[in-house]
Amino acid sequence: MGSVVCSLDAELGWGFHDFETPPADRVEAGRRGWSTMLDLFDEYKIPATWAVVGHLMLEDCDHVHTDHPAPDGWFEYEQTDWNDRPDLRFGPDLVDALLTADVDHEFASHSFSHVLFGRPETDRDLAVAELERSLEIADAWSQPVDSFIYPRNDIGHRDVLAEFGISAYRGRSPTHDGVRGLFASTVRDQTMLVEPYRDEFGLVNVPASLFLFGFEGPARTVAESIWQDPMVVQARRGIEEAVGSDGIFHMWLHPNNLTHRRDDRRMRAILEYLDRRRAETDLTVETMGDVARRVAVARGVDGGVVAVDGGHTRDD
């Protein structure tokens, strides 16, 4: 029995505060996109993993964060351009809407301030501070955290995640982002399914299959004018692969990807199709936490670790 996982990077302005010139359309779309996705998930009764930047759960702050070992200038936008834009820096209203939604979503962490964990300048102290602060805030909201999504999928300091009791993270997509992914899956007929596994730190890597907004701009407009939305086609194909196997199709997006009504239509088309195929088949919808809990491991006779329930372990 196959399954589909949907994960979201919920960040508002924090996804772009290190940009010299943040993309205005994406920055301004974050709140609307968040609410739109919650409404769509409620309509189709589809649970998802929402990875939330911890700072969004605050009501206010001192704009400085002197106790945080971030690089110089890391919080500059809070103190300057966005000083009068609390709607970009705080989102307790949105988090409350997520936690009280009709659907039982998984609450996950996207770090405290969207630090890139794989960068050389992100040392262990900074990684620890990001995890510790985000989990403290989640605990104040009475929210346990099992899953972590790395900002910009920049993976690093997995030992820190394990130290703080995280169970799962979203690994990088092997092939399916943007034009390269379209080529691999359509021309090469490469599978859209991924296989979770337990890494050497005991974390379950739930790799991404498809970024749902990896084919945009003029190319998307042309494709839609002569054919149909290529990302809807790809998503439907991944869903069909999951229907016919025991594999996982893991699609992901940011709420701020929904910058136009056509983006809403894309997501509605994908979720409507998923809901219909779930009703017609044995297909299930899972969160990353669900996947991690069922990737059980057992000791092999030679002392190695082997996986049961369709997963496997490896050291990479």
Side-chain angles (χ1 to χ4, degrees):
M1 177 175 62
S3 68
V4 173
V5 174
C6 185
S7 59
L8 300 91
D9 301 13
E11 51 198 35
L12 297 185
W14 290 99
F16 309 102
H17 76 111
D18 57 331
F19 282 36
E20 183 174 347
T21 305
D25 60 340
R26 295 277 303 280
V27 170
E28 298 299 336
R31 283 184 160 268
R32 191 194 73 84
W34 189 311
S35 298
T36 298
M37 288 307 305
L38 280 179
D39 289 344
L40 287 171
F41 286 134
D42 273 353
E43 180 177 350
Y44 294 106
K45 297 180 174 56
I46 291 174
T49 295
W50 287 73
V52 178
V53 167
H55 194 289
L56 297 179
M57 304 173 74
L58 301 175
E59 295 282 351
D60 55 52
C61 71
D62 62 6
H63 300 76
V64 180
H65 305 286
T66 55
D67 59 344
H68 193 284
D72 290 341
W74 184 248
F75 296 102
E76 181 178 354
Y77 264 96
E78 275 212 292
Q79 303 160 26
T80 57
D81 298 55
W82 293 347
N83 183 48
D84 61 348
R85 294 295 306 273
D87 57 311
L88 302 182
R89 299 181 288 115
F90 305 107
D93 55 324
L94 295 174
V95 175
D96 184 65
L98 166 63
L99 299 180
T100 58
D102 291 341
V103 177
D104 188 17
H105 296 294
E106 178 188 15
F107 179 88
S109 175
H110 200 38
S111 81
F112 171 66
S113 64
H114 209 263
V115 161
L116 307 185
F117 277 55
R119 293 287 180 87
E121 59 267 29
T122 302
D123 60 17
R124 196 175 196 280
D125 287 345
L126 179 53
V128 167
E130 284 284 298
L131 260 295
E132 186 171 52
R133 186 70 177 117
S134 62
L135 295 182
E136 284 176 351
I137 297 169
D139 185 62
W141 281 66
S142 301
Q143 288 302 307
V145 177
D146 294 322
S147 300
F148 185 84
I149 290 180
Y150 284 98
R152 297 191 196 134
N153 297 309
D154 197 0
I155 295 172
H157 298 287
R158 287 177 293 148
D159 59 317
V160 174
L161 268 62
E163 178 181 315
F164 279 89
I166 299 296
S167 300
Y169 66 95
R170 189 180 68 206
R172 296 186 186 93
S173 169
T175 60
H176 298 299
D177 287 347
V179 176
R180 182 180 61 150
L182 288 172
F183 178 83
S185 58
T186 57
V187 177
R188 294 181 180 174
D189 197 30
Q190 189 163 338
T191 181
M192 301 282 283
L193 302 183
V194 294
E195 187 176 1
Y197 63 89
R198 192 180 299 275
D199 69 15
E200 68 270 30
F201 298 104
L203 303 168
V204 176
N205 180 349
V206 187
S209 297
L210 180 69
F211 175 45
L212 294 174
F213 287 84
F215 189 78
E216 303 306 304
R220 173 184 176 181
T221 300
V222 171
E224 288 179 338
S225 68
I226 62 176
W227 188 37
Q228 56 183 311
D229 186 337
M231 301 312 293
V232 173
V233 173
Q234 291 296 93
R236 287 174 176 171
R237 176 181 173 183
I239 292 167
E240 284 306 313
E241 282 199 65
V243 167
S245 74
D246 290 329
I248 294 173
F249 174 60
H250 183 179
M251 52 187 179
W252 71 280
L253 71 152
H254 311 85
N256 61 41
N257 286 129
L258 278 65
T259 60
H260 298 92
R261 295 298 177 186
R262 71 174 184 171
D263 303 320
D264 302 358
R265 291 193 293 271
R266 168 182 289 178
M267 293 310 304
R268 176 177 291 279
I270 291 170
L271 296 182
E272 185 281 329
Y273 191 82
L274 173 58
D275 180 51
R276 176 159 57 86
R277 295 301 284 146
R278 177 179 56 179
E280 297 169 343
T281 68
D282 290 332
L283 183 70
T284 61
V285 177
E286 297 183 288
T287 64
M288 288 174 53
D290 292 332
V291 173
R293 283 186 285 274
R294 70 178 178 82
V295 178
V297 296
R299 288 284 171 183
V301 294
D302 60 353
V305 180
V306 296
V308 299
D309 198 18
H312 65 282
T313 64
R314 60 188 187 213
D315 294 340
D316 64 3

